[in-house]
Amino acid sequence: MSTPVLEVRQLDKRFGATHALRSASLSLARGEIVALLGENGAGKSTLTKIISGEVAPDTGQILVDGQAAHFGATADAIAAGISRVPQELQVFPSLTVHENLYAGSMPERRLLPGVASVRREMSRRNAQRLLETFGIVLPLDRLCGSLTFAQKQLVMLLRALTHDVKVLILDEPTAALEYKEVQLLFRVVRELARRGVAVLYITHRLSELREISSRAILMRDGTVVREVASEQYGDACLSHDLGGHAPPPVGRRGAVPGAGQETVSIPLFGQATRVRRGEVTGFSGLLGSGVENLLIDAFKALDGGARRRVGYISGERGTQVFYDASILRNLCAPHLKMFSVAGHFNEAAARRAAAGLIRAFDIRPGDPDRPMRELSGGNQQKVLLARWFLARMDVLLLAEPTAGVDVGAKLLIQKIIDDYRREGGAVLLSSTDYDELATLCDRIVPIVKGVPGAPIDRGNGFNADEIRHALGVL
């Protein structure tokens, strides 16, 4: 039997009172694509951050090609051939695509001892060769800040491939991608595996698991509970993965008090659009259609008075999370005036309000003083949604509200959105998850080349295939 390219033995890690990893072990062979599964907070992010040198373990061992490895920083892991592409976008918006790909690692030419000159043309040729190798089209000279979410994700993936990679860790890489973009990513991943790269692929999407990976590693409560061939992973495994506490799916849509009454005018497509109570309007489009910026542009265009009654969640989670601040401070961030008494923050009132939201949204860990940086991506997402329930919002603008969360958290978030609708709230929702749109929306507006198409009304019901057909995917 050949030596694994990566072997992890009995890794253990605590963050204060939280036992994040409990003797976790796994191994990867060259050219293998392995899915890593588990609910939010199961330990997946902690495990992969340790493997990639971002976090130091308390105990345990990492072996690369059979040799013990000790990583004091991500640079050490990269030098050993391990790269991780996180959920959160980490690009430099004021740099070009080419500059982002080689940020911190531009080829240099030595002029004198201790004096070097960056060889930009060499790095640009290397970047173009990398794009051609994987059949990816990206504008190398465009600023990253002007790219779509999907294009920025490709930049992050390609940046990892500018190094000599033996092990690539992908954390929810398709969370906000539509079908064609997912297939492009899969093609790149399969080509990497063909070249001998081992890929550890974190996902919550069961269909992706079966399509892209050969086996799945399941984590729960900080430890690996079992491994299974991907084609054998079914509903029983899913129940085990969730720990049996997933809420029921959103059910039949009931009558809504005040449904159809206009609430607030939202600027969409260059004109004022009346948003109605008790309804969810969905928007979906392909890469470059303009749907990526639709809701943020609408939110920015609101005047101050209207904006106070509108909650907004970005499709790019990292732009709204205060990572070094506590759960409490993140929840209260948009509502500081509500908790201000004579110019001072009313800590006791804020804690009482936050405690109820932490329970209702099942935010883990439930400690309001825990820094957001220590939460899993799914729990960070629940905090971002929960903050808009501290005060009554007339309208919620939600971009990819369940991106990167586990199945249980996804069902919970969908139920909360539907409950808000049932109570008379209005929702504008953009998503690349067609099943989610079909579940939550009263109507869906397809966006094609920046132009809204004819709305698809729920009527007697619609499904994901109808949405794909409207967008030209089928």
Side-chain angles (χ1 to χ4, degrees):
M1 184 175 180
S2 60
T3 302
V5 64
L6 174 70
E7 187 174 2
V8 170
R9 296 177 179 173
Q10 303 293 306
L11 286 185
D12 213 90
K13 181 65 181 180
R14 287 182 179 271
F15 295 102
T18 301
H19 203 166
L21 275 188
R22 304 169 185 265
S23 300
S25 301
L26 61 79
S27 65
L28 299 177
R30 293 184 184 278
E32 185 180 28
I33 304 172
V34 176
L36 183 61
L37 309 175
E39 63 181 340
N40 294 126
K44 305 183 302 296
S45 293
T46 300
L47 175 61
T48 55
K49 286 179 180 179
I50 289 175
I51 294 173
S52 59
E54 297 176 50
V55 173
D58 295 333
T59 60
Q61 191 175 27
I62 299 174
L63 291 85
V64 179
D65 288 329
Q67 301 297 312
H70 303 279
F71 304 143
T74 54
D76 299 331
I78 290 172
I82 299 174
S83 288
R84 174 177 175 267
V85 180
Q87 284 187 49
E88 299 78 17
L89 291 179
Q90 296 178 355
V91 298
F92 301 99
S94 60
L95 298 181
T96 65
V97 170
H98 158 230
E99 292 165 337
N100 266 272
L101 292 181
Y102 287 92
S105 61
M106 282 279 190
E108 295 180 342
R109 177 175 59 245
R110 291 291 168 183
L111 302 177
L112 295 169
V115 180
S117 173
V118 172
R119 305 184 68 174
R120 295 181 57 86
E121 286 307 312
M122 175 182 287
S123 66
R124 200 182 188 288
R125 286 195 300 271
N126 291 344
Q128 187 60 48
R129 192 177 303 118
L130 187 62
L131 294 179
E132 293 169 356
T133 297
F134 295 103
I136 295 174
V137 177
L138 277 176
L140 288 177
D141 296 317
R142 183 182 296 178
L143 294 180
C144 263
S146 68
L147 300 182
T148 66
F149 182 91
Q151 289 173 320
K152 292 173 184 175
Q153 282 199 315
L154 283 176
V155 169
M156 290 174 57
L157 172 60
L158 291 170
R159 182 194 295 158
L161 303 183
T162 60
H163 306 283
D164 183 14
V165 179
K166 297 178 181 177
V167 177
L168 180 65
I169 300 169
L170 299 177
D171 192 347
E172 293 288 349
T174 64
L177 302 185
E178 52 92 7
Y179 178 78
K180 290 183 179 179
E181 298 158 3
V182 171
Q183 294 307 307
L184 170 60
L185 176 74
F186 283 179
R187 181 165 54 78
V188 173
V189 169
R190 291 189 183 104
E191 177 60 21
L192 288 170
R194 190 186 69 80
R195 293 168 179 250
V197 176
V199 180
L200 188 60
Y201 188 99
I202 300 177
T203 185
H204 294 300
R205 295 182 174 181
L206 195 58
S207 59
E208 290 184 1
L209 157 71
R210 293 166 176 158
E211 183 175 354
I212 194 64
S213 64
S214 58
R215 64 185 173 99
I217 297 173
L218 277 67
M219 292 191 70
R220 187 176 175 189
D221 296 329
T223 192
V224 173
V225 292
R226 67 163 156 167
E227 298 184 20
V228 63
S230 293
E231 65 270 15
Q232 297 174 1
Y233 189 86
D235 291 341
C237 293
L238 179 61
S239 177
H240 185 279
D241 180 21
L242 292 174
H245 50 249
V250 172
R252 184 179 298 276
R253 303 168 70 80
V256 174
Q261 294 180 9
E262 295 179 349
T263 55
V264 67
S265 177
I266 301 291
L268 294 171
F269 312 111
Q271 61 184 13
T273 301
R274 301 301 301 186
V275 177
R276 299 178 183 276
R277 292 183 59 190
E279 294 183 352
V280 178
T281 301
F283 301 91
S284 194
L286 303 181
L287 174 64
S289 67
V291 72
E292 303 92 346
N293 298 319
L294 180 67
L295 296 186
I296 181 58
D297 289 346
F299 187 68
K300 288 178 178 178
L302 292 170
D303 62 45
R307 191 178 297 181
R308 285 194 293 272
R309 303 191 302 274
V310 177
Y312 169 68
I313 291 184
S314 169
E316 298 183 24
R317 183 184 304 143
T319 63
Q320 292 188 309
V321 173
F322 301 103
Y323 286 102
D324 293 324
S326 66
I327 293 174
L328 174 67
R329 295 291 175 173
N330 272 269
L331 286 172
C332 296
H335 313 288
L336 294 181
K337 286 187 178 180
M338 188 170 78
F339 295 105
S340 294
V341 178
H344 297 283
F345 184 66
N346 189 334
E347 184 93 10
R351 285 184 177 278
R352 286 193 297 271
L357 288 176
I358 289 171
R359 287 193 301 271
F361 283 76
D362 192 27
I363 296 168
R364 304 181 190 181
D367 176 7
D369 296 315
R370 184 63 58 89
M372 285 285 281
R373 188 175 299 281
E374 295 182 9
L375 272 62
S376 66
N379 281 294
Q380 291 174 358
Q381 186 75 0
K382 286 191 276 188
V383 171
L384 292 183
L385 179 59
R387 62 166 47 149
W388 297 115
F389 287 78
L390 271 177
R392 177 66 189 183
M393 298 288 114
D394 291 335
V395 182
L396 293 180
L397 309 181
L398 307 178
E400 303 291 349
T402 63
V405 305
D406 66 52
V407 178
K410 180 175 182 175
L411 292 174
L412 174 63
I413 289 172
Q414 289 180 346
K415 182 179 184 303
I416 288 168
I417 293 171
D418 193 58
D419 287 346
Y420 173 78
R421 175 196 68 84
R422 289 170 182 268
E423 293 170 4
V427 180
L428 298 184
L429 185 152
S430 66
S431 178
T432 53
D433 186 332
Y434 303 137
D435 289 314
E436 178 166 88
L437 288 168
T439 296
L440 291 175
C441 296
D442 294 279
R443 71 187 52 80
I444 297 165
V445 180
I447 311 298
V448 180
K449 296 182 179 179
V451 178
I456 309 169
D457 287 314
R458 173 170 291 276
N460 296 322
F462 42 35
N463 57 42
D465 285 342
E466 290 181 65
I467 302 169
R468 291 188 181 96
H469 186 269
L471 294 173
V473 176
L474 292 179

